[in-house]
Amino acid sequence: MLLRQRGFTLLELMVVLMVVGLLLSMVNLASSDNAAQSDTEEFGKQLQAAFTQYRQEAVFQNLDLGVGWLPEEFWLLVYTDPNSQELARDMSVEELTRLQKNPWLPYQSNLAPTLEIPEEIYVRLIIDEEEIVQDELLDEETGPLPALLFLSSDEYTAFRLELTHNDDERFMVVVTGDGISPIMTETLWPDEF
């Protein structure tokens, strides 16, 4: 008896390739969504860790620290008393005038002086249930003003930072602090916003 072998037709091969292509595109789409969520959660954890360090630094160094919010980064600032006699000896009249207008200077320490905001992440800051407008915190002449304060008394500005990713708006990472308790980070989904 003679057996006849039958191969696949071109149509069958095309259907199989199309199904495999669809499955691969679904896997790729799911992994890119996970990457957006992972990147945003990682930045939220960075902010939580940095703000916790700022809080500890303010207490241990007996300083009042602030966080300036610029378009692409957060700056660590320190309150500098413009009426300090010791400080006045080392500054020019121009520097003292600038300091009287804005007593917040960049803080020089072993802590990172800036924290870069990833380009694809949108930041929204809410204090006392009111959204903070970033442009109001920057004076071109005197530099940034603090959006958040971390005081030597171990208190800080109660806040809510909402982080969303430009590539995936199905989730939001929220960094919050009530002014006394530890700073927290959580991921929220649309029904929780």
Side-chain angles (χ1 to χ4, degrees):
M1 172 160 46
L2 194 60
L3 291 174
R4 187 170 174 218
Q5 287 187 342
R6 184 175 179 269
F8 294 105
T9 65
L10 182 59
L11 182 61
E12 290 171 328
L13 284 173
M14 287 177 59
V15 168
V16 169
L17 288 175
M18 186 174 74
V19 168
V20 169
L22 282 171
L23 290 173
L24 286 174
S25 68
M26 289 171 51
V27 167
N28 189 27
L29 182 61
S31 68
S32 70
D33 288 349
N34 290 341
Q37 181 180 346
S38 177
D39 290 348
T40 309
E41 288 174 340
E42 180 63 31
F43 182 58
K45 289 175 185 172
Q46 285 178 357
L47 288 173
Q48 178 185 8
F51 291 171
T52 300
Q53 285 181 327
Y54 299 166
R55 183 179 179 190
Q56 292 170 350
E57 183 81 358
V59 172
F60 293 138
Q61 299 300 326
N62 196 29
L63 297 169
D64 292 333
L65 299 176
V67 176
W69 181 24
L70 281 72
E72 292 142 8
E73 59 193 358
F74 290 105
W75 276 27
L76 180 57
L77 306 170
V78 62
Y79 176 79
T80 309
D81 184 3
N83 298 319
S84 167
Q85 296 294 326
E86 183 179 319
L87 194 69
R89 283 186 296 221
D90 299 331
M91 294 184 119
S92 68
V93 173
E94 183 179 291
E95 290 172 323
L96 279 172
T97 303
R98 183 219 157 282
L99 191 62
Q100 288 174 342
K101 290 180 182 177
N102 180 3
W104 294 93
L105 298 176
Y107 183 53
Q108 306 298 323
S109 75
N110 59 348
L111 296 174
T114 62
L115 186 59
E116 188 174 324
I117 301 170
E119 186 177 307
E120 62 277 357
I121 294 178
Y122 175 74
V123 177
R124 184 172 176 240
L125 175 60
I126 300 166
I127 297 175
D128 293 330
E129 298 183 19
E130 197 172 310
E131 184 172 356
I132 303 302
V133 179
Q134 186 181 45
D135 295 342
E136 294 175 0
L137 298 172
L138 180 62
D139 184 329
E140 293 295 329
E141 182 183 327
T142 62
L145 296 168
L148 301 174
L149 299 177
F150 295 93
L151 305 177
S152 58
S153 62
D154 199 22
E155 297 173 291
Y156 62 93
T157 307
F159 70 95
R160 176 183 170 100
L161 260 176
E162 298 177 349
L163 310 174
T164 54
H165 199 283
N166 294 338
D167 296 338
D168 189 352
E169 297 178 2
R170 294 177 303 156
F171 66 90
M172 175 189 300
V173 175
V174 179
V175 182
T176 57
D178 64 7
I180 300 169
S181 304
I183 296 166
M184 306 297 290
T185 302
E186 65 179 321
T187 302
L188 302 178
W189 300 95
D191 58 334
E192 301 172 308
F193 288 2

